[in-house]
């Protein structure tokens, strides 16, 4: 693979893979709960693994939907690990009991992320629309740790938690979680429908990130990660990303349950099918991916001194709210 700073990689570093849109939850912000796609059988999924291995793609991360809905998840993961892929997944934690944690370890999972959106059980349960989900998610962290799997936590920042995110970090420390992802609110799917109720305004996002960056820079454990290019303009942000702006379509792609490829899970535009088309032609020739990789500064982005660092912010959020990749991220405070 080429150096990402020198040009386009020969293949993405990561495939975020939705094996199924089925889920036992019905979360308020979910991008995929109302998506539908036929699911491939185990044999076809292994064919995809072979393609990813041949292209030397190092990482796959199973999401969804809930990955553990697929009874063949353990077989699929073990096969991928045998082919040299680093396998991880994100889960709501409901199905991660002691037995499944041991099976995940045996299948070769490098890490498992559990979604916990508040340290207050009732807030998490309401956000996830599932009574008892907080207790099951916290128990999942302990089951995974005892099974020897590295654990991470994911929290979608919204009105329910942006003032109390430090409590989420404390919870992570209590359960020996190695990394916490503070995800930006994407405005896709149900997140778009519930945006006015759950999303922050640009000024609140700025205040949140200023505080969160201060905490990150003064905290050793757990590691704190963001996935939001809009923060590149803030003081205290000293990351050196492989690419500027959104990484989707540049460092990562998304696989739907039927083998269709989209730039990311939050951009429902199919650029090809990995089983029916040549992957190199999709990666190098897709008009959609080319537009995402070569955004033009529009609106207030034109002439902005920060544009070279953030490239307009989150492409998925701009597309969800305007239908145009190059429009400014609606979260931007500048």
């Amino acid at each position: 693979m080429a150096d990402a700073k020198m040009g386009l990689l020969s293949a993405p570093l990561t495939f975020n893979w939705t094996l199924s849109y089925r889920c036992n939850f019905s979360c308020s912000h979910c991008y995929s709960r109302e998506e539908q796609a036929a699911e491939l059988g185990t044999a076809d999924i292994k064919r995809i693994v072979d393609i990813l291995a041949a292209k030397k793609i190092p990482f796959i991360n199973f999401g969804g939907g809930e990955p553990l809905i697929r009874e063949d998840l353990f077989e699929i993961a073990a096969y991928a690990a045998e082919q040299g892929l680093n396998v991880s997944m994100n889960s709501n934690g409901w199905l991660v009991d002691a037995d499944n944690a041991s099976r995940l370890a045996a299948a070769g999972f490098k890490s498992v992320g559990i979604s916990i959106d508040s340290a207050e059980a009732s807030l998490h349960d309401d956000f996830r629309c599932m009574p008892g989900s907080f207790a099951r998610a916290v128990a999942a962290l302990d089951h995974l740790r005892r099974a020897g799997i590295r654990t991470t936590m994911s929290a979608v920042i919204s009105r329910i938690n942006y003032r109390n995110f430090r409590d989420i970090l404390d919870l992570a420390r209590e359960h020996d979680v190695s990394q916490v992802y503070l995800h930006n609110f994407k405005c896709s799917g149900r997140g778009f429908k519930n945006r006015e109720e759950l999303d922050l305004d640009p000024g609140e996002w700025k205040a949140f990130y200023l505080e969160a960056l201060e905490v990150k820079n003064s905290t050793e454990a757990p590691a704190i990660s963001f996935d939001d290019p809009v923060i590149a303009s803030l003081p205290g942000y000293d990351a050196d990303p492989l690419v500027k702006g959104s990484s989707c379509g540049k460092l990562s792609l998304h696989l739907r349950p039927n083998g269709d490829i989209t730039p990311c899970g939050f951009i429902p535009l199919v650029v090809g099918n990995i089983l029916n088309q040549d992957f190199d032609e999709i990666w190098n020739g897709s008009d959609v991916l080319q537009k995402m990789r070569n955004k033009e500064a529009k609106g207030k982005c034109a002439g902005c001194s920060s544009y070279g660092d953030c490239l307009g912010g989150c492409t998925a959020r701009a597309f969800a709210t305007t239908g145009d990749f190059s429009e400014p991220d609606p979260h931007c405070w500048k």
Side-chain angles (χ1 to χ4, degrees):
M1 288 187 177
D3 184 336
K5 293 183 178 179
M6 296 173 61
L8 180 66
L9 292 165
S10 60
L13 297 178
T14 301
F15 255 100
N16 294 302
W17 194 344
T18 299
L19 293 173
S20 172
Y21 284 129
R22 291 177 290 149
C23 190
N24 49 347
F25 281 22
S26 186
C27 302
S28 305
H29 67 297
C30 184
Y31 81 94
S32 67
R33 197 64 185 90
E34 295 167 18
E35 292 277 354
Q36 293 184 339
E39 294 181 23
L40 296 172
T42 308
D44 280 334
I45 289 173
K46 289 182 177 180
R47 285 175 57 206
I48 293 177
V49 170
D50 291 339
I51 293 170
L52 302 184
K55 295 300 174 185
K56 301 188 185 306
I57 292 164
F59 302 101
I60 57 173
N61 182 73
F62 296 117
E66 168 56 44
L68 282 162
I69 291 285
R70 291 276 308 216
E71 295 182 358
D72 56 356
L73 174 68
F74 307 101
E75 179 183 351
I76 293 165
Y79 183 78
E82 289 169 1
Q83 307 312 307
L85 294 163
N86 294 280
V87 183
S88 61
M89 80 169 188
N90 292 96
S91 170
N92 58 41
W94 189 271
L95 299 174
V96 183
D97 56 15
D99 179 60
N100 275 341
S102 296
R103 294 179 69 191
L104 290 168
F109 275 88
K110 296 290 187 182
S111 68
V112 172
I114 301 296
S115 295
I116 299 181
D117 297 295
S118 174
E120 186 175 331
S122 60
L123 283 178
H124 172 89
D125 289 1
D126 287 347
F127 189 64
R128 294 277 162 179
C129 303
M130 178 62 78
S133 59
F134 176 83
R136 295 279 283 259
V138 171
L141 292 173
D142 295 335
H143 291 314
L144 292 164
R145 187 187 69 249
R146 285 192 284 267
I149 297 179
R150 175 180 179 269
T151 56
T152 67
M153 270 173 53
S154 293
V156 176
I157 298 302
S158 70
R159 293 215 162 272
I160 76 161
N161 60 16
Y162 79 106
R163 297 183 189 277
N164 306 108
F165 73 93
R166 293 170 188 256
D167 295 340
I168 296 173
L169 302 177
D170 289 339
L171 180 69
R173 292 186 194 97
E174 291 172 13
H175 295 273
D176 295 325
V177 171
S178 62
Q179 191 165 14
V180 174
Y181 292 90
L182 299 178
H183 292 295
N184 61 88
F185 193 89
K186 289 295 195 305
C187 307
S188 298
R190 288 188 175 176
F192 185 85
K193 292 181 179 180
N194 297 318
R195 180 184 171 200
E196 292 198 9
E197 176 187 351
L198 294 172
D199 201 2
L200 313 184
D201 65 41
E204 289 169 327
W205 278 111
K206 180 180 181 180
F208 164 75
Y209 278 128
L210 284 170
E211 182 181 357
L213 283 169
E214 182 180 346
V215 172
K216 171 183 169 65
N217 293 335
S218 61
T219 300
E220 291 187 5
I224 301 170
S225 297
F226 309 103
D227 59 353
D228 196 346
V230 79
I231 67 176
S233 64
L234 290 177
Y237 181 73
D238 58 357
D240 185 23
L242 285 173
V243 295
K244 301 289 188 180
S246 290
S247 62
C248 51
K250 304 172 188 174
L251 301 181
S252 62
L253 289 175
H254 171 251
L255 265 171
R256 289 162 56 91
N258 61 357
D260 283 346
I261 298 173
T262 66
C264 80
F266 304 101
I267 299 178
L269 296 178
V270 175
V271 299
N273 186 286
I274 195 166
L275 288 177
N276 302 331
Q277 295 170 251
D278 180 76
F279 177 75
D280 290 339
E281 290 182 6
I282 298 171
W283 178 245
N284 295 308
S286 164
D287 289 340
V288 169
L289 295 181
Q290 292 295 341
K291 288 179 181 177
M292 292 180 61
R293 295 164 183 161
N294 299 282
K295 292 165 64 175
E296 55 181 304
K298 290 186 176 181
K300 66 179 182 178
C301 290
C304 176
S305 60
S306 298
Y307 186 79
D309 290 318
C310 77
L311 296 184
C314 176
T315 304
R317 201 157 46 230
F319 182 76
T321 54
T322 71
D324 188 334
F325 296 139
S326 293
E327 286 293 331
D329 184 338
H331 283 184
C332 178
W333 47 81
K334 289 181 71 75

